[in-house]
């Protein structure tokens, strides 16, 4: 009996040894890969086109709030808009996860200060360029759900988005902004498949949950979405002031524990104030937003807000604004690296953001800078996520 047990144990040991050898061989292949063999990511359209369309969406809704109340709020759905190469030998995923958001389509939640705090109008904004024969430098912005009928005869003139939000019995409403700037609407005939929670949660409120073992795909996916968003929105009114964890909210319901909201669908909160122009513009908002992004990535990987560290470092209490944040982020990054609490990809992405903050020439208008930034942030996170989920490439 003992001999049989020993034989079984030796067989299992041999099987495990062969498995380790196979993994080691695949890991060696990964280290020896050339830059040409690395994963390639690209956006669904040029960054200039995405930024231009995002700006048009902002302008389209900012002109159509009511005049009765001082504050209105919009939540722009942050989407990666990344086209990935088809992976072989990967488990099949849900079709919705493989869809790539187009440059002419933006998800948006609308709310007015004149409405109940829990009353949001969830919509999808599509930008339809006029035919070249009739183009006069204007665009028609369509806010709708997919496959809705845009028959002009069914549209009603709108003087206030707030009125539509209050009176609409539907979760989605179709809006059309024509080339003359006139807004029209009708209820959507489609029901959205997405489910929403009654009360959205900010990234700030969810940070303690990140200390738990959250799904790898969701944590890495959130980081990739935030990095991809700074490419798309940095030169638009959506990021005219520095963003932070308080501005990132989640409203999509999640059927899987431990979170009640789905981390795959973050939104950026933007307030519209009556009678005021754009908010205070930063001297170099690209740099400040990169610093803010680095801090958010540190917070995500730590499960704690940066404010908890302010009391540990007396220097940060006397430094002004961004200098305090930079000093704190640098120390936090060194501490996490020295204790082995940060993965290689996250460490490189955070370091790249901090270096971008210190670079006065950092600009996402520069194709060379964009490509280098993508190589050091998006690609490592994407590859590391694939490695953790599926193992080394075969």
């Amino acid at each position: 009996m003992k001999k049989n047990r020993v034989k079984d144990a030796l067989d299992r040991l041999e099987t495990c040894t062969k498995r380790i050898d196979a993994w080691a061989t695949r890991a060696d292949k990964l280290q020896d890969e050339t830059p040409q063999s690395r994963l390639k990511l690209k956006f669904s359209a040029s960054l200039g086109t995405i930024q231009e369309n995002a700006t048009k969406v902002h302008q389209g809704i900012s002109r159509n709030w009511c005049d009765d109340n001082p504050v209105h709020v919009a939540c722009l759905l942050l989407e990666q808009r990344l086209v990935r190469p088809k992976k072989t030998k990967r488990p099949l995923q849900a079709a919705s996860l493989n869809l790539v958001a187009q440059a002419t389509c933006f998800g948006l939640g609308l709310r007015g200060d004149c409405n109940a705090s829990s009353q949001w109008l969830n919509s999808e904004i599509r930008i339809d360029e006029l035919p070249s024969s009739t183009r006069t430098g204007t665009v028609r912005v369509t806010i709708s759900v997919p496959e809705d009928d845009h028959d002009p005869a069914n549209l009603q003139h709108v003087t206030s988005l707030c009125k539509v939000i209050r009176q609409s019995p539907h979760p989605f409403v179709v809006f059309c902004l024509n080339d003359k700037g006139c807004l029209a609407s009708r209820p959507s005939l489609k029901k959205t498949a997405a489910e929403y929670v009654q009360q959205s949660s900010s990234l700030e409120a969810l940070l303690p949950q990140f200390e738990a073992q959250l799904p790898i795909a969701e944590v890495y996916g959130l980081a990739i979405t935030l990095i991809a968003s700074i490419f798309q929105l940095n030169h638009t009114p959506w990021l005219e002031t520095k963003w932070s964890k308080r501005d990132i909210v989640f409203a999509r319901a999640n059927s899987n524990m431990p979170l009640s909201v789905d981390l795959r669908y973050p939104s950026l909160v933007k307030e519209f104030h009556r009678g005021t122009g754009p908010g205070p513009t930063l001297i170099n908002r690209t740099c400040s937003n990169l610093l803010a992004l680095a801090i958010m990535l540190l917070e995500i990987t730590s499960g704690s807000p940066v404010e908890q560290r302010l009391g540990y470092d007396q220097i940060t209490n006397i430094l002004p604004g961004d200098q305090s944040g930079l000093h704190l982020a640098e120390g936090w990054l060194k501490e996490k690296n020295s204790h082995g609490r940060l993965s290689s990809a996250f460490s490189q992405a955070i370091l790249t953001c901090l270096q971008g903050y210190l670079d006065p020439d950092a600009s996402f208008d520069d194709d060379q800078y964009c490509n280098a930034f993508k190589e050091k942030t998006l690609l490592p996170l994407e590859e590391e996520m694939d490695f953790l989920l599926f193992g080394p490439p075969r």
Side-chain angles (χ1 to χ4, degrees), residues 203-261:
L203 178 57
E204 180 181 33
L206 293 176
L207 278 180
Q209 301 290 337
F210 283 80
E211 290 183 310
Q213 194 68 25
L214 294 178
I216 291 173
E218 292 193 12
V219 175
Y220 276 80
L222 174 59
I224 291 171
T225 300
L226 292 177
I227 295 173
S229 296
I230 202 170
F231 279 92
Q232 303 172 57
L233 302 177
N234 189 64
H235 293 306
T236 73
W238 294 101
L239 281 182
E240 65 187 358
T241 55
K242 187 168 67 174
W243 59 345
S244 74
K245 57 184 174 293
R246 299 178 185 88
D247 304 314
I248 308 299
V249 299
F250 304 85
R252 292 276 188 99
N254 183 14
S255 57
N256 300 322
M257 296 297 287
L259 296 179
S260 60
V261 292

Side-chain angles (χ1 to χ4, degrees), residues 84-358:
R84 296 170 169 85
K86 293 182 179 179
K87 300 182 179 68
T88 58
K89 299 181 180 179
R90 292 289 191 256
L92 293 177
Q93 295 180 321
S96 60
L97 298 181
N98 295 322
L99 296 177
V100 178
Q102 299 303 308
T104 55
C105 186
F106 295 81
L108 200 70
L110 303 172
R111 189 184 73 191
D113 192 39
C114 44
N115 301 302
S117 59
S118 60
Q119 189 173 3
W120 283 88
L121 181 69
N122 296 298
S123 60
E124 183 178 274
I125 302 185
R126 292 187 171 189
I127 298 181
D128 302 321
E129 289 191 355
L130 296 173
S132 56
S133 59
T134 60
R135 188 174 298 165
T136 59
T138 58
V139 295
R140 180 174 60 253
V141 180
T142 303
I143 305 181
S144 66
V145 292
E147 301 179 4
D148 267 323
D149 176 22
H150 297 152
D151 185 354
N154 296 327
L155 300 177
Q156 297 179 351
H157 183 67
V158 172
T159 57
S160 168
L161 284 171
C162 301
K163 183 178 180 181
V164 178
I165 296 172
R166 285 195 302 267
Q167 297 180 353
S168 174
H170 302 275
F172 273 76
V173 172
V174 177
F175 293 88
C176 290
L177 183 65
N178 63 22
D179 57 331
K180 296 181 180 179
C182 298
L183 191 67
S185 74
R186 68 169 175 79
S188 171
L189 302 178
K190 299 286 185 180
K191 287 187 66 177
T192 174
E195 295 184 3
Y196 295 85
V197 295
Q198 289 187 347
Q199 184 66 41
S200 60
S201 299
S202 68
L203 178 57
E204 180 181 33
L206 293 176
L207 278 180
Q209 301 290 337
F210 283 80
E211 290 183 310
Q213 194 68 25
L214 294 178
I216 291 173
E218 292 193 12
V219 175
Y220 276 80
L222 174 59
I224 291 171
T225 300
L226 292 177
I227 295 173
S229 296
I230 202 170
F231 279 92
Q232 303 172 57
L233 302 177
N234 189 64
H235 293 306
T236 73
W238 294 101
L239 281 182
E240 65 187 358
T241 55
K242 187 168 67 174
W243 59 345
S244 74
K245 57 184 174 293
R246 299 178 185 88
D247 304 314
I248 308 299
V249 299
F250 304 85
R252 292 276 188 99
N254 183 14
S255 57
N256 300 322
M257 296 297 287
L259 296 179
S260 60
V261 292
D262 198 329
L263 295 181
R264 294 175 300 174
Y265 302 100
S267 294
L268 176 66
V269 176
K270 176 70 175 179
E271 290 188 348
F272 293 79
H273 295 268
R274 185 187 64 187
T276 60
T281 302
L282 302 169
I283 296 177
N284 189 336
R285 69 182 183 190
T286 295
C287 293
S288 285
N289 281 326
L290 285 174
L291 175 59
L293 176 59
I295 291 175
M296 282 194 284
L297 294 177
L298 281 165
E299 291 173 324
I300 289 172
T301 57
S302 303
S304 59
V306 68
E307 288 79 8
Q308 285 188 3
R309 301 184 59 85
L310 291 176
Y312 304 149
D313 192 336
Q314 297 301 320
I315 297 179
T316 59
N317 295 326
I318 61 176
L319 290 175
D322 281 356
Q323 293 182 31
S324 172
L326 176 63
H327 179 80
L328 196 152
E330 287 178 334
W332 201 357
L333 177 61
K334 290 179 181 178
E335 177 186 309
K336 290 180 70 66
N337 280 332
S338 64
H339 290 86
R341 297 174 182 170
L342 201 61
S343 73
S344 174
F346 267 102
S347 178
Q348 185 174 358
I350 294 168
L351 178 61
T352 302
C353 290
L354 294 178
Q355 291 172 339
Y357 168 75
L358 294 172

Side-chain angles (χ1 to χ4, degrees), residues 3-14:
K3 290 183 179 180
N4 290 336
R5 289 182 178 177
V6 171
K7 185 177 182 301
D8 291 341
L10 289 174
D11 290 341
R12 289 197 300 271
L13 178 60
E14 183 179 2

Side-chain angles (χ1 to χ4, degrees), residues 13-61:
L13 178 60
E14 183 179 2
T15 301
C16 291
T17 302
K18 290 181 179 179
R19 187 180 305 165
I20 293 173
D21 289 340
W23 276 67
T25 301
R26 289 158 60 187
D28 289 339
K29 289 173 60 179
L30 181 63
Q31 290 182 343
D32 294 337
E33 69 178 0
T34 62
Q36 289 77 15
S37 66
R38 290 191 66 186
L39 178 67
K40 294 183 179 180
L41 295 175
K42 63 178 182 179
F43 288 95
S44 59
S46 70
L47 289 176
T49 298
I50 297 174
Q51 292 167 2
E52 181 182 358
N53 289 342
T55 299
K56 291 172 183 175
V57 169
H58 185 280
Q59 294 172 344
I61 62 175

Side-chain angles (χ1 to χ4, degrees), residues 41 231 366-376 379:
L41 295 175
F231 279 92
D366 184 344
D367 290 340
Q368 186 175 358
Y369 179 82
C370 280
N371 291 332
F373 192 85
K374 183 168 62 174
E375 290 276 344
K376 295 178 180 179
L379 280 178

